[in-house]
Amino acid sequence: MAALQAQRLFLAQPSSFLPSTSAARPRPRPRRSGAATCRAALRVPSGIHTAQDRLSLKLDWIDVPASPSVDVDGGSVSVEKLRAIADAAADRAEMHDIIGRQRDNWNHLLLHSTNSLTLAASIMAALAPAAPGMVALKASAGVLLASAAVTMAAVNKIQPSQLAEEQRNARRLWRELERDVRAALAVGAPTTTTKDDVQEAMDRVLALDAAYPLPLLPGMLEKFPKAVEPARWWPRRRAAQPKRSRSLGRRGSASGNNGWTQDLEEEMRGILRVIKAKDEQEFLRVGKLVLNLNRGLAVAGPALAGTAALASVFIGSGEAGAWASGAAVFGGALAAAVNTVEHGGQMGMLFELLRNCAGFYRKIQEDIEANLGEPDLKRREGGEVFATKVALKLGRSLSDLKQFRKMASPSVRDEDIQEFAGKLF
């Protein structure tokens, strides 16, 4: 009995026989550092009472450093704007493609329809004097010739072949803008996209809308301008400050100057001078010739058809009837020939093509001037990359550009320049 009571007493008070945890372990020596002092407390009960008692670890002492917040809201908005511009450019390209095909169909349909009216009226005017129904044939010939004259005047005013060429070039430029914007989105990040990128893209959109309008009336480009100017589809740049850049080494210093050397600058100046003196002026000169020829044909066609319609009225009327029939036939045939040369030869398209080529070289000029006019070499486009772009646009190799270095010399006159800068067209 005494042994049983002793056993119960031993089981009821085990803590008196167990060593204290805090007394058994040596207290660790605190570490001294620049960080915050560890305030964690490992709570170990002095006695093991029940199975539900657990160790508790406090971690509220950890001071998590606040990460630097990156403000990507502005960049994200800019990215969304650029995506909207790219989508709008793709939509514009599709619209210009559809309208360009439609206006090209106008050129073919109106050409053949007008020539059919004119030639049919000429045949009627030739048969009218000897036909029993002379009055009917005479009236029909007059109506058809008058209709042809009005149709020619309207078609010559809008120049469908030139309208189609405008839309084709606009489609290409809109797709180029879309590719540039999407490429910028692919290589960029929300933090690197700025409002300046969005503004630059918007300026290009507005410049393209102004250069190649979609509506026919009003807003159509003047088809017979008084002065021939290069087409412009890019925004105007701000004038560079008249400040000279720091001196460049001739060779071997391109790495520290963003790829620019004195030799490269002289090459660019020589190319700039040749483009101004030869390439652009040549396209403008030929454009003026084509414009004057097209203007003359545009006036001659309706005038000949109208004269033939007027002559058909006098068919069969006494002495005048003999020559009236011949005048109607001759005038109608000449009107059809003039209309075929003008619209079958697509004089309007040719004039617009020459304007676009002159604008192409004008843009190269402004790109070169913008880079050479920038005094800070780091803000220029990379010299080697820019030279490659210019060579590709001119259809030349990089080694070919070296021959233009001597053109930058003031001793070379514009009259002495014989070779053109571009080889593409």
Side-chain angles (χ1 to χ4, degrees):
M1 192 65 173
L4 182 60
Q5 291 179 354
Q7 184 178 2
R8 290 178 178 178
L9 181 62
F10 178 80
L11 295 176
Q13 298 178 354
S15 60
S16 60
F17 297 93
L18 294 175
S20 176
T21 306
S22 60
R25 293 183 179 180
R27 189 172 183 179
R29 192 172 182 178
R31 298 180 180 179
R32 297 185 180 273
S33 61
T37 306
C38 178
R39 299 192 302 271
L42 182 62
R43 296 181 178 178
V44 181
S46 59
I48 302 176
H49 300 286
T50 60
Q52 287 77 14
D53 294 335
R54 297 179 181 179
L55 297 177
S56 60
L57 182 62
K58 289 185 176 182
L59 299 177
D60 58 350
W61 61 274
I62 300 176
D63 296 332
V64 181
S67 59
S69 59
V70 180
D71 185 16
V72 299
D73 293 340
S76 300
V77 173
S78 299
V79 167
E80 293 300 324
K81 290 181 179 179
L82 286 179
R83 287 175 181 167
I85 293 174
D87 294 339
D91 185 60
R92 294 277 216 293
E94 186 69 20
M95 294 169 65
H96 282 282
D97 185 26
I98 295 172
I99 294 177
R101 294 181 182 181
Q102 177 195 47
R103 292 175 180 177
D104 188 51
N105 288 335
W106 284 1
N107 183 55
H108 294 290
L109 294 175
L110 291 171
L111 169 64
H112 298 307
S113 300
T114 306
N115 285 348
S116 299
L117 289 174
T118 307
L119 294 177
S122 299
I123 294 173
M124 290 180 182
L127 298 176
M134 180 188 63
V135 177
L137 287 177
K138 179 176 70 172
S140 298
V143 171
L144 290 179
L145 287 171
S147 300
V150 173
T151 305
M152 285 184 187
V155 174
N156 294 345
K157 176 66 177 177
I158 63 176
Q159 294 290 317
S161 63
Q162 186 172 348
L163 292 173
E165 179 62 23
E166 291 174 4
Q167 304 309 312
R168 283 191 290 265
N169 197 47
R171 177 188 60 186
R172 179 182 64 84
L173 294 172
W174 280 112
R175 287 179 178 174
E176 180 184 357
L177 175 59
E178 180 192 3
R179 288 195 303 268
D180 292 345
V181 174
R182 295 199 186 279
L185 290 173
V187 301
T191 55
T192 59
T193 305
T194 62
K195 294 181 179 179
D196 294 338
D197 300 329
V198 178
Q199 186 61 41
E200 181 183 356
M202 284 297 300
D203 291 342
R204 291 179 63 180
V205 169
L206 297 178
L208 274 174
D209 282 336
Y212 303 103
L214 280 170
L216 184 62
L217 293 174
M220 180 181 67
L221 295 179
E222 178 61 39
K223 298 302 180 287
F224 300 99
K226 297 180 179 179
V228 179
E229 295 290 338
R232 185 180 189 88
W233 58 84
W234 63 95
R236 298 186 181 276
R237 295 181 176 88
R238 296 179 180 178
Q241 297 179 355
K243 181 180 178 182
R244 292 187 58 84
S245 59
R246 60 190 180 93
S247 60
L248 296 173
R250 265 202 161 332
R251 293 181 179 85
S253 59
S255 59
N257 294 326
N258 195 20
W260 287 91
T261 62
Q262 186 69 27
D263 290 341
L264 181 57
E265 285 197 354
E266 290 179 359
E267 292 173 8
M268 293 297 112
R269 290 191 178 94
I271 293 172
L272 179 63
R273 185 177 180 185
V274 173
I275 290 177
K276 285 183 178 180
K278 296 292 292 184
D279 297 78
E280 181 182 337
Q281 296 301 320
E282 181 68 15
F283 282 105
L284 293 179
R285 183 185 65 82
V286 178
K288 291 178 182 179
L289 295 176
V290 173
L291 177 63
N292 293 331
L293 176 60
N294 192 26
R295 184 183 286 115
L297 294 174
V299 174
L304 289 171
T307 303
L310 182 62
S312 65
V313 177
F314 300 96
I315 295 177
S317 58
E319 297 178 356
W323 59 265
S325 176
V329 173
F330 185 69
L334 280 181
V338 168
N339 189 59
T340 301
V341 172
E342 181 181 6
H343 298 289
Q346 299 190 7
M347 291 297 171
M349 180 276 296
L350 182 58
F351 172 67
E352 183 64 23
L353 180 62
L354 294 170
R355 285 183 64 246
N356 290 330
C357 291
F360 175 80
Y361 286 109
R362 176 65 63 87
K363 188 175 186 302
I364 296 178
Q365 291 180 40
E366 294 192 7
D367 290 341
I368 296 176
E369 290 174 348
N371 279 275
L372 295 180
E374 175 57 52
D376 188 1
L377 299 179
K378 299 299 182 182
R379 297 183 61 182
R380 294 183 184 180
E381 189 174 357
E384 297 179 359
V385 177
F386 182 71
T388 303
K389 290 181 178 180
V390 172
L392 290 173
K393 290 179 180 179
L394 298 178
R396 293 180 175 272
S397 63
L398 290 174
S399 59
D400 289 343
L401 301 184
K402 297 179 181 180
Q403 64 180 329
F404 296 101
R405 193 179 303 164
K406 59 183 179 181
M407 303 299 179
S409 175
S411 60
V412 179
R413 300 179 302 174
D414 293 344
E415 296 79 8
D416 299 334
I417 300 176
Q418 300 297 330
E419 188 176 2
F420 292 91
K423 284 190 174 181
L424 284 180
F425 38 79

